[in-house]
Amino acid sequence: MSEQGTGQQDAEQGYDFKAIQDRWLPVWDELKPFEVPVGHESDKPRKYVLDMFPYPSGDLHMGHAEAFCFGDILARYWRGQGHEVLHPIGWDSFGLPAENAAIKRGVDPREWTYANIAQQKASFRAYAPSFDWSRVLHTSDPEYYKWNQWIFLKMYEKGLAYRKASWVNWDPVDQTVLANEQVLADGTSERSGAMVVKKKLTQWYFRITDYADRLLDDLDALEGRWPAKVLSMQRNWIGRSRGAEVEFEIEGRDARVPVFTTRPDTLHGATFMVVAPDSDLAAELAAGASGPVRMQFQAYLEATQKQTEIERQSTDREKTGIFLDHFAVNPVNGERIPVWASDYVLADYGHGAIMAVPAHDQRDLDFALKFDLPVRVVVDVRDEEGEPLQDPAVSGVATSGDGTMLNSAELDGLGKDDAIARAIETLEARGTGRATTTYRLRDWLISRQRYWGTPIPILYAEDGTMQPVAEAALPVQLPAAAGLDLKPKGSSPLGAATEWATVVDPETGETLTRDPDTMDTFVDSSWYYFRFLSANDPTQAFDPAEAKKWAPVDQYVGGVEHAILHLLYSRFITKVMFDLGYIDFEEPFVDMLNQGMVLLDGAKMSKSKGNLVEFASELEEHGADALRVTLAFAGPPEDDIDWADVSVQGSAKFLARAWRIAHDVEVGGAPVGVAFDGGDKALRRSTHQLLIDGPQLAESYKFNVLIARLMEQVNVTRKAIDSGCGVADPAVRESAEAIAVVLSMYAPYAAEDMWAMLGHEPTVALVEWPKGDESLTVVDEVLMIVQVDGKVRDKITVSASITDADAETAARASANAQRAIGDREIVKVIARAPKIVSIATKPAA
RNA sequence: GCGCAAGUGGCGGAAUGGUAGACGCGCUGGCUUCAGGUGCCAGUGCCCGCAAGGGCGUGGGGGUUCAAGUCCCCCCUUGCGCACCA
């Protein structure tokens, strides 16, 4: 392969990234160094390094460049540490953008999607992440989505996939339902940006709430391995809340009404009940009320439903409500309390009804004061000085803290925790309540009324009974888009594909109709990391034996925007796979890195705002290596990078300096294979310190610091060549080789070219890091700090093996130190040889 | 409102309780080349000083310690997340 070397590249020409890229791309295409064939056996330890796979909307952008840069650094790092690394790539290629583009331009979503994929593949090739291209997958391939359907059927069998009628989030622009997770905090759709409305529809759900406790509790084991932010967001989202269910009788109604409360201790202070206006209970109670109340309620319900999410969520809104003309009975004291409907109670949380304790809950208090309802204090809450807080009815401030119970019969005198425990005991003994837990997490709504997704493998008979498609009949392929009207119209376009939708049961001859909806594309991405393990296997979703070998993913890299959706769903599906016995672990991603965003002038880049840095043009102008070094050197990977603050030129300059060292060695250095033993000590020390420190820096994601160390190494090597030991010293070759190997995780092209100039065969990407030798890093003499009263007064050169006593003597002898001490009295001397001696003084007596 | 991060030169950022500002960008001066926007050398936290040296300095205020950017308490600011969830 020597003709691939750079003998023909003369010194005048220097570092030329274009020539280098052109030289090595074909070689790598030939070598396929990162392919790990399925079933391949190796003695090496394994690492599964995965980037969140991209959505193929247009070409790659700077965000991709950053994310895939960090993932690739880690993949290449682990190869350098002697691991066999699986680093696959695929495309999350189902979804609305393809469909919307198709509608807008009249092209087939397939064409649009696969054209974009081809473009991204081409960009990736130049950018050169070390992907295993033999395992590529696209979720829109029938070979892939067949297994979505298989998972759906498995879940259906287990009762984890079910259909129900419910109020759902409806996106009026995309004309489809959305999962709770796809509705942003301001009530708009994360996709279309439209204000989401509520609609009652029968839809398919995955029973993720069955897994709420496991999804929450298992987060503890990810502490320190996942970003704290993601863990907290997931905990928030699951929103477990422990408390009690309390049953209230309602006069004139047979069945008791359960309410959920986290404060059963305050039950004696419950002076009214509030139900959600859009709950079944409210409708029922209103129906049994007087005519005027019925009309008022109807108007109130309509007003509630018309409200946008923003209006409804505004916290400092006046309370509104309607008295429902009914009374409930407080189970602990038999008191008659009025039942109201108000929109501050949510229909889909708890039981859609609450016991209102206005003295100790601000919302209830606001409501009580507005409608003149009684407020009864049952907890004696004190301030920091131990003074009782003002009566909430007067102050308007509910006292929600801990305190001593009063006005609460047998609970009187107890503290909060004891009172809660006691209250629950009492309720359970009387059969009017029990300890219980509720969650904010809702079941995962997976039906979508759109075309470009996985068909739901369910058939309906004429009488409406459903039957799953037989596993052998999978995949249920999407019909061709041609001839279908893909415009959103509230029902799936697939329903109109009559030929596709109608199936005759071969056994019974019965005519069946296919479910016309497609699955949420988050189903696709919730298990793709398994598919990579058996990407081309037509017989199974993935091979459990391969999963045992490779999974879970050791290192996951991606944006924090998926902190809830994708990661929660993936964790859920992984647990389902565990329960089904296909895998022996319950968490899919062992370690996770969230890269920051790439900004321009402090703002998110956007084409419409005109502040865009184009990945393609940067790649063209500076090359992949300089781009990658720039991204990695800019700062910690979790931080945002402002493109206005970085210098791609600076990175290119560094690469050229590194490259020139290898070039100098090629021209006048020690021969390849030379023993490094006799080489320059100082340079060798630096080289080996780099090799020793490198791993801990890389493994703690301090890629920027490791590049700084590489720069220092290049600088000291330059100095050694020009004004030190000279280029022919073996230590220079040793340093150059170490630089090439370490640099290869950041700048694969430059490193490969250096490696060739240094007389080695490709590819440097598979070369293990030379071992750093601790014995070469010991120094004879060090600079010792002498402090007097905490201030540095001198720096003296001492033997590295100096004793504490000798260090103290040397420090006391320092003229600078003596001057600082003056006539003060030394009270204490702390010696930490050979680093520092600290002298503490006080004024002379 | 609740919760979680983070505040270090002109800028991006380094610093197991032990020399604050590594490395780089930018800037200043010089050399080389000279068409140079290349390359090389030196300098670059602020203030006083010719220098030696000294004073100040990691958002603010206290504290622990021989020693604090780092640990503890209070406050301020910014960013992010959640938010009528009973």
Side-chain angles (χ1 to χ4, degrees), chain A residues 104 600 603-614:
Chain A
K104 209 162 148 192
L600 187 58
K604 214 168 168 173
M605 291 189 201
S606 92
K607 214 177 259 176
S608 53
K609 285 192 209 126
N611 66 331
L612 202 65
V613 177
E614 293 275 8

Side-chain angles (χ1 to χ4, degrees), chain A residues 231-252:
Chain A
L231 296 176
S232 113
M233 284 171 75
Q234 293 233 342
R235 290 191 176 108
N236 248 322
W237 187 262
I238 295 166
R240 181 163 64 194
S241 155
R242 297 188 193 280
E245 193 173 88
V246 184
E247 292 179 355
F248 283 71
E249 267 177 43
I250 293 195
E251 290 176 0

Side-chain angles (χ1 to χ4, degrees), chain A residues 77-110:
Chain A
Y77 166 74
W78 285 112
R79 286 193 201 93
Q81 297 304 308
H83 287 65
E84 185 165 52
V85 172
L86 182 62
H87 188 41
I89 181 70
W91 273 267
D92 190 15
S93 50
F94 264 145
L96 276 181
E99 204 165 340
N100 291 340
I103 293 161
K104 209 162 148 192
R105 295 177 229 164
V107 291
D108 191 312
R110 261 181 203 82

